[in-house]
């Protein structure tokens, strides 16, 4: 039986509704990956996040190097929980550097993740779209690998598959076949990618973040909210009786005058209005206490920095998580 080269699912011809369906068992790709690659059509597959944590726990029982891929724009809230599961040496790879302001020092980004785990052997910042720091990445993998198998793990849309495809393109004669999509559950099963006789990368399914906008938006909406180029930060001084709207997705009401800096896709409109406007109050209200110069994260959508202590009423799609963290920028 063959595996799909794009997502790793075992190919089958009996059920079009199940993962791995293909018209022929000899095909390189399942029908789902074929349609993503050629028509940008995405078919959702319901997967349980616990399935993916089971894979991570199995990896954590081995001694192999783990390349842990983290999207700098969407740093997962459960990141520390993931680190606690892994006893392996970890090469931390921070992706999508090109989305953040050029003025942001990379050493500051690395310091943000310092001391999270004694298992982190090194931190490398990359951009797959810019082919940035890939020589450093491959050198780091070879320096720290234990045995030829190296596991690549990360949360949905962190850029794992794009990174592996870029390694294949830059350093091998193999086709960059792994399916890339902004939507969850693109990689279904583990995929072994032989780089050479001494190194095999094992791509794993993306870990699913719960309570994220990613799981509530259509494919067309995700194209708008997921940034593809450097974000232009937007600053607003907000008065006591004003609100901020992040497009149609978020409403923010302040207790007092404050200053915010917003980091969302450039495709989203950010507007300031008077509180009397009832728009978006049908969404779920979350009351958040935030300290000066903390970030408020709207999971799966973006974040904003608050310059003064405040109490915020934030309206989001029901089920989406909103939380504070130490400021990234």
């Amino acid at each position: 039986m063959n595996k799909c080269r794009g997502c790793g699912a075992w190919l089958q011809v009996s059920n079009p509704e199940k993962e791995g369906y293909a018209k022929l068992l000899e095909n390189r790709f399942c029908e789902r990956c074929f349609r993503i690659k050629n028509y940008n059509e995405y078919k959702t597959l319901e997967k349980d996040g616990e399935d993916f944590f089971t894979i991570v726990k199995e990896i954590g029982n081995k001694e192999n190097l783990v390349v842990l891929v983290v999207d700098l724009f969407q740093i997962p809230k459960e990141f520390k929980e993931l680190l606690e599961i892994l006893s392996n040496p970890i090469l931390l790879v921070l992706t999508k550097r090109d989305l953040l302001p050029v003025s942001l020092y990379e050493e500051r980004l690395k310091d943000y993740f310092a001391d999270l785990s004694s298992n982190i052997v090194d931190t490398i910042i990359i951009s797959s779209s810019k082919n940035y720091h890939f020589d450093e990445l491959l050198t780091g993998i070879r320096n720290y690998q234990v045995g030829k198998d190296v596991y690549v793990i990360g949360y949905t849309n962190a850029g794992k598959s794009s990174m592996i495809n870029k390694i294949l393109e830059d350093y091998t004669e193999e086709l960059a076949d792994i399916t890339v999509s902004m939507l969850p559950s693109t990689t279904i099963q583990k995929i072994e990618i032989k780089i050479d006789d001494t190194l095999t990368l094992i791509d794993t399914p993306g870990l699913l973040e719960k309570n994220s906008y990613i799981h509530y938006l259509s494919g067309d909406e995700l194209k708008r909210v997921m940034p593809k180029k450097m974000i232009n930060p937007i600053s607003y001084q907000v008065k006591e009786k004003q609100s901020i709207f992040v497009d149609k997705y978020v409403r923010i009401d302040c207790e007092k005058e404050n200053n915010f800096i917003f980091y969302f896709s450039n495709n989203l409109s950010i507007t300031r209005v008077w509180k009397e406007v009832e728009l978006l109050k049908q969404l779920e209200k979350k009351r958040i206490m935030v300290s000066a110069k903390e970030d408020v994260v709207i999971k799966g959508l973006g974040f904003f920095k608050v310059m003064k202590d405040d109490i915020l009423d934030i309206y989001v799609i029901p089920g989406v998580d909103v939380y504070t963290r130490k400021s990234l920028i």
Side-chain angles (χ1 to χ4, degrees):
M1 186 181 292
N2 295 327
K3 273 189 170 185
C4 171
R5 291 288 299 268
C7 69
W10 291 106
L11 294 180
Q12 52 90 11
V13 295
S14 57
N15 191 338
E17 300 304 315
K18 296 292 185 180
E19 64 185 54
Y21 174 75
K23 293 180 178 179
L24 296 172
L25 288 177
E26 295 75 24
N27 288 355
R28 288 171 63 86
F29 301 105
C30 68
E31 189 68 10
R32 175 172 168 269
C33 284
F34 178 81
R35 301 203 72 80
I36 290 175
K37 286 175 176 290
N38 292 282
Y39 302 105
N40 203 26
E41 293 179 7
Y42 184 83
K43 181 177 180 181
T44 301
L45 289 175
E46 294 297 327
K47 303 294 289 184
D48 186 344
E50 290 303 314
D51 293 342
F52 299 140
F53 264 98
T54 299
I55 293 174
V56 173
K57 288 173 183 176
E58 291 174 357
I59 295 170
N61 291 327
K62 304 176 186 293
E63 296 180 349
N64 305 72
L65 175 68
V66 166
V67 175
L68 177 53
V69 182
V70 175
D71 177 353
L72 281 166
F73 182 65
Q74 302 281 358
I75 301 169
K77 183 181 180 182
E78 302 86 354
F79 183 56
K80 290 184 179 179
E81 178 185 352
L82 178 59
L83 288 172
E84 290 171 359
I85 296 174
L86 294 166
S87 59
N88 316 64
I90 298 170
L91 179 60
L92 181 61
V93 177
L94 306 177
T95 65
K96 306 185 185 179
R97 169 65 184 93
D98 52 300
L99 297 182
L100 300 180
V102 176
S103 58
L104 183 58
Y105 290 112
E106 294 193 355
E107 286 307 312
R108 171 171 177 155
L109 291 173
K110 291 182 179 182
D111 288 344
Y112 191 85
F113 295 89
D115 303 323
L116 286 177
S117 171
S118 59
N119 292 341
I120 296 176
V121 295
D122 203 353
T123 301
I124 298 173
I125 298 174
I126 69 167
S127 167
S128 296
S129 65
K130 304 294 185 183
N131 205 12
Y132 181 66
H133 279 175
F134 270 78
D135 286 348
E136 182 181 345
L137 171 61
L138 190 61
T139 299
I141 292 172
R142 293 194 185 280
N143 284 344
Y144 296 111
Q145 69 182 109
V146 181
K148 72 174 184 176
D149 290 343
V150 172
Y151 288 86
V152 182
I153 67 173
Y155 282 83
T156 292
N157 201 40
K160 295 186 300 88
S161 298
S162 295
M163 181 191 77
I164 293 173
N165 280 341
K166 183 58 67 176
I167 290 174
L168 287 170
E169 179 183 321
D170 287 353
Y171 305 106
T172 77
E173 308 231 336
E174 295 292 320
L175 293 174
D177 275 343
I178 299 175
T179 302
V180 176
S181 168
M182 67 181 66
L183 292 138
S185 302
T186 303
T187 301
I188 302 300
Q189 300 289 343
K190 289 184 287 188
I191 307 174
E192 295 188 4
I193 304 103
K194 183 178 178 181
I195 304 302
D196 56 32
D197 290 339
T198 64
L199 175 61
T200 297
L201 299 179
I202 302 177
D203 189 19
T204 59
L207 298 162
L208 294 174
E209 272 202 279
K210 299 175 182 177
N211 310 114
S212 170
Y213 261 97
I214 289 175
H215 303 294
Y216 295 97
L217 301 182
S218 68
D220 287 339
E221 286 182 299
L222 282 173
K223 290 176 185 177
R224 289 190 66 230
V225 306
M226 293 292 181
K228 292 297 183 184
K229 59 183 180 179
M230 189 177 71
I231 293 167
N232 298 320
I234 296 176
S235 299
Y236 268 123
Q237 182 178 21
V238 185
K239 297 186 178 180
E240 184 178 340
K241 293 185 178 181
Q242 287 184 324
S243 300
I244 295 286
F245 290 161
V246 181
D247 214 283
K248 62 181 180 179
Y249 302 108
V250 182
R251 175 185 176 127
I252 305 160
D253 293 345
C254 304
E255 287 284 325
K256 58 185 180 183
E257 187 173 308
N258 212 326
N259 291 289
F260 298 157
I261 305 174
F262 293 90
Y263 298 88
F264 292 89
S265 168
N266 300 331
N267 295 323
L268 300 183
S269 63
I270 299 177
T271 54
R272 180 175 46 185
V273 300
W274 295 104
K275 276 188 182 179
E276 286 76 9
V277 175
E278 292 297 311
L279 190 63
L280 298 188
K281 280 197 170 181
Q282 78 279 9
L283 299 178
E284 181 179 356
K285 183 173 80 171
K286 297 178 182 288
R287 176 154 284 199
I288 300 291
M289 296 184 65
V290 57
S291 299
K293 298 186 178 179
E294 280 189 329
D295 289 341
V296 177
V297 179
I298 314 296
K299 203 169 186 181
L301 199 68
F303 61 94
F304 61 97
K305 185 175 181 177
V306 178
M307 303 309 292
K308 300 177 184 177
D309 294 352
D310 210 340
I311 298 174
L312 306 177
D313 286 335
I314 301 179
Y315 297 79
V316 293
I317 289 177
V320 168
D321 201 0
V322 179
Y323 60 94
T324 61
R325 70 180 183 197
K326 181 177 71 171
S327 177
L328 176 67
I329 301 175

